[in-house]
Amino acid sequence: MLNSKLNGEVYFPSAEVLKNATIKDWEQLNKKALDNYEEFWSELASELHWFKKWDRVIEDSEKPFYKWFTGGKTNIVYNCLDVHVNTHRRNKLALIWEGENGDSKTFSYYALHRETCKFANVLKSMGVQKGDRVTIYMGRVPEIVIAMLACARIGAVHSVVYGGFSVESLAERIEDSNSKVLIVADGAYQRGKIVQLKQIADEALQRCGTVEHVLVVKRTGQEINMESGRDMWYHELMNLPIAIQNNTLEEVDSEYPLFILYTSGTTGKPKAILHTHGGYMVGIYATLKYVFDIHDDDRYWCAADPGWITGHSYIVYGPLLNGATSFMYEGAPNFPYPNRWWQIIEKYGINILYTAPTAIRGLMRFGEAWVNRHNLSSLRLLGTVGEPINPEAWKWYYNVVGKGKCPIMDTWWQTETGMFMITPMPCVPLKPGSGSRPFPGIVMDVVDEKGNSVQANEEGYLVIKTPWPAMIRTVWKDSERYISQYWSRYPGMYLTGDSARKDEDGYFWIIGRVDDVIKVSGYRLGTAEIESALVSHNTVAEAAAIGLPHEVKGNAIYAYVILRTGVEKSPALIDELRQHVSHEVGPIAKPEHIEFVDALPKTRSGKIMRRVLKAKALGQDPGNLSTLEE
Ligand code: PRX
């Protein structure tokens, strides 16, 4: 256990927290994992069900294409549902859901299992086979969970597209994944309005030709277009005799694809990150168990969206693997009033809240009176993810929401890592703004240009030096990109794309992305996606997007646009372009600000120098300009 010699501002776990914590000695667990890494993971894997036990824990003969638990046969859904249905958890609530408009639904493990089996049968009857990709495009509703689990149950590979994305983003992802089936909702409630998901999907389907069946979940009940022969209602299909046939489940190899999830990278199109059944299952089961220390009677709320990795790992799969009760809320945190979240915590007796700094900063602005109206004494643990949390927001979260008694798990990880990588546990002393140290057994470092470790407190590139079970297996259909993006800069080290520093106590402090990824409200966007949306407008010749600091969102998008010859600059055109990006990529990508320029700073090879634009916007020194062409 770390002692009081830690540097800086430190929050030590209280006697009460230590008493409740399953892991009381982090150092000991870390030592155990470091001494025998394979055995550490093997023991955790043994807590789950395997139809056939693995032969090897880590297979590294084709590095960096690591494989985990090879020779093993399992299915993550069997461990999420079937296992619990046969225990005392059969009638325990697996999922509690509240809609933004006050609707609510609950599913016991028995009910979630039954609905999943039914939908798996429906998918099969649509011709979905093992290995087929299925795109899912919905808001935060229970059917998204059922759809994901049903796919995985029959060995189909789900590709969830975040419901906040729009036409082009959806079309591109459907096309790239070659999905024949799209599962969509008629709409989603967001801040009292309806997001027209089906309408967006219809428009996207005009741009890509792979989809044969569209299964539509009725959420809002509004009038929508249903294309005959292509579109079918979910609730009607679920009532057909075919749905209640049997409990089909595919026993798959440990390394069998579970899902792909598109994420933004350095250049070009979003890439599909591939995760597989076995290793991913073990990684998220173990991290959630240790970090959020789930107890059987806990109610756990991860307020992310299932459409991003946080939702995949820690709304859907992780809690179910742990037999937990997971809560899901559809809407905005401040709708209809800024106390909505606090009201929910009180109403359902939530014990663990896991959210993003941007949400905390957003709610903080409304003042603590909104929080103090509610009894939040059920809370035991808090969590944060997605971007660095500023100490001011950390302290507000700790003191106002957690009343000074709930440790904050600041979890650093990525779509690619699948699971928490840098994270405390309840027994670990906390420093506001740092996620503390890597999960036991995982070796991470901060290195310079040459790949050498930097001194304590010096900034450098954040890298991972050990394989981990939930790691990305490859970029779907593009293994070259997997190697070049993550493994080619420093052989043997996984490049995260983040800059960080490590202090004298070994605590990591994340600074931010060093590539062309912008984190807006914790959402990951690529400059390339925003720029290509801008140039798809008939008035735009060239565009460059950058992220600039924003008080609530962390970063806001600024775009620089060169108009085509003869096009008049006007405030109306700025509005139109912002709207266009929102329509093509999604409202989260809408630039905060657009400026018309006559030229963009570029290298001689034609690459836009975004760092120069950023420095100029911030009134800073642009640094070395020797490669600047104009
Ligand atoms: O920059 C880091 C930031 O989010 C990036 C990963 O984004 P994404 O793949 O969308 O996954 C987000 C949710 C896991 C990282 O490269 N990031 C994530 N968590 C933190 C963070 N930055 C600082 N602190 C965190 N806790």
Side-chain angles (χ1 to χ4, degrees), residues 413-465:
W413 58 296
Q414 308 178 300
T415 308
E416 293 88 341
T417 70
M419 64 184 222
F420 306 150
M421 297 299 283
I422 299 174
T423 176
M425 289 182 193
C427 67
V428 170
L430 305 172
K431 300 190 190 189
S434 165
S436 79
R437 292 164 296 172
F439 190 77
I442 290 167
V443 182
M444 295 185 61
D445 202 359
V446 179
V447 300
D448 63 16
E449 294 288 343
K450 295 200 179 104
N452 300 317
S453 305
V454 299
Q455 301 287 321
N457 289 314
E458 251 180 51
E459 185 176 336
Y461 300 99
L462 182 70
V463 294
I464 310 173
K465 293 182 165 174

Side-chain angles (χ1 to χ4, degrees), residues 324-346:
T325 298
S326 190
F327 173 79
M328 188 198 271
Y329 165 61
E330 179 184 38
N334 56 348
F335 188 85
Y337 301 107
N339 63 333
R340 183 66 185 262
W341 271 21
W342 321 126
Q343 200 174 38
I344 285 174
I345 292 171
E346 182 174 23

Side-chain angles (χ1 to χ4, degrees), residues 97-101 138-141 162-164 187-197 219-220 222 303-306 329-336 340-341 523 587-588:
W97 172 80
E98 183 167 298
E100 194 185 73
N101 62 349
M138 279 191 240
R140 283 189 287 263
V141 287
Y162 169 55
Y189 289 105
Q190 189 65 23
R191 271 194 190 86
K193 298 205 186 91
I194 293 177
V195 184
Q196 299 293 345
L197 294 174
R219 165 64 188 121
T220 63
Q222 60 179 330
D305 192 284
Y329 165 61
E330 179 184 38
N334 56 348
F335 188 85
R340 183 66 185 262
W341 271 21
Y523 294 122
I588 42 163

Side-chain angles (χ1 to χ4, degrees), residues 103-344:
D103 288 353
S104 75
K105 280 186 191 167
T106 55
F107 293 81
S108 63
Y109 272 92
Y110 172 81
L112 193 60
H113 175 257
R114 186 175 154 77
E115 293 303 293
T116 300
C117 290
K118 279 167 63 184
F119 195 52
N121 286 329
V122 167
L123 289 174
K124 278 199 142 183
S125 74
M126 296 283 127
V128 176
Q129 293 178 357
K130 188 177 168 191
D132 286 352
R133 273 81 55 212
V134 173
T135 298
I136 302 173
Y137 180 61
M138 279 191 240
R140 283 189 287 263
V141 287
E143 289 80 0
I144 193 170
V145 180
I146 295 166
M148 289 166 73
L149 294 169
C151 287
R153 190 167 184 90
I154 57 171
V157 180
H158 58 71
S159 167
V160 180
V161 179
Y162 169 55
F165 275 131
S166 201
V167 181
E168 184 55 25
S169 305
L170 177 61
E172 197 170 70
R173 285 159 174 79
I174 293 174
E175 178 112 335
D176 189 76
S177 63
N178 201 6
S179 296
K180 288 200 277 293
V181 172
L182 170 68
I183 308 164
V184 65
D186 60 351
Y189 289 105
Q190 189 65 23
R191 271 194 190 86
K193 298 205 186 91
I194 293 177
V195 184
Q196 299 293 345
L197 294 174
K198 176 64 166 61
Q199 196 180 315
I200 294 170
D202 283 342
E203 205 177 328
L205 291 179
Q206 283 166 10
R207 299 188 192 179
C208 59
T210 63
V211 170
E212 292 162 13
H213 302 293
V214 179
L215 314 185
V216 190
V217 171
K218 188 176 265 186
R219 165 64 188 121
T220 63
Q222 60 179 330
E223 205 48 49
I224 55 158
N225 162 54
M226 291 290 280
E227 198 154 311
S228 119
R230 187 195 72 180
D231 301 354
M232 278 159 282
W233 285 107
Y234 172 93
H235 62 271
E236 287 179 4
L237 294 167
M238 290 289 264
N239 274 331
L240 296 178
I242 191 132
I244 45 170
Q245 239 174 21
N246 54 37
N247 295 349
T248 346
L249 179 127
E250 199 70 45
E251 296 180 10
V252 295
D253 288 336
S254 176
E255 280 296 314
Y256 198 77
L258 169 62
F259 65 82
I260 51 175
L261 186 56
Y262 285 84
T263 193
S264 310
T266 297
T267 47
K269 285 180 163 190
K271 48 189 190 294
I273 307 301
L274 174 69
H275 285 289
T276 56
H277 277 255
Y280 175 79
M281 166 176 91
V282 176
I284 57 169
Y285 163 72
T287 44
L288 190 63
K289 171 183 155 115
Y290 284 150
V291 175
F292 283 114
D293 196 10
I294 304 269
H295 300 172
D296 218 14
D297 54 355
D298 273 340
R299 288 191 166 183
Y300 158 90
W301 179 15
C302 168
D305 192 284
W308 297 84
I309 192 68
T310 312
H312 279 53
S313 298
Y314 299 113
I315 295 180
V316 182
Y317 292 111
L320 296 175
L321 288 168
N322 279 282
T325 298
S326 190
F327 173 79
M328 188 198 271
Y329 165 61
E330 179 184 38
N334 56 348
F335 188 85
Y337 301 107
N339 63 333
R340 183 66 185 262
W341 271 21
W342 321 126
Q343 200 174 38
I344 285 174

Side-chain angles (χ1 to χ4, degrees), residues 263 308-310 354 384-389 410-417 422 433 435 496-498 510-513 517 519 522-524:
T263 193
W308 297 84
I309 192 68
T310 312
Y354 183 35
T384 164
V385 60
E387 50 173 327
I389 180 161
D410 180 350
T411 59
W412 178 95
W413 58 296
Q414 308 178 300
T415 308
E416 293 88 341
T417 70
I422 299 174
T496 64
D498 278 16
I510 308 296
I511 295 158
R513 297 291 304 191
V517 167
K519 280 275 171 156
Y523 294 122
R524 180 165 162 181

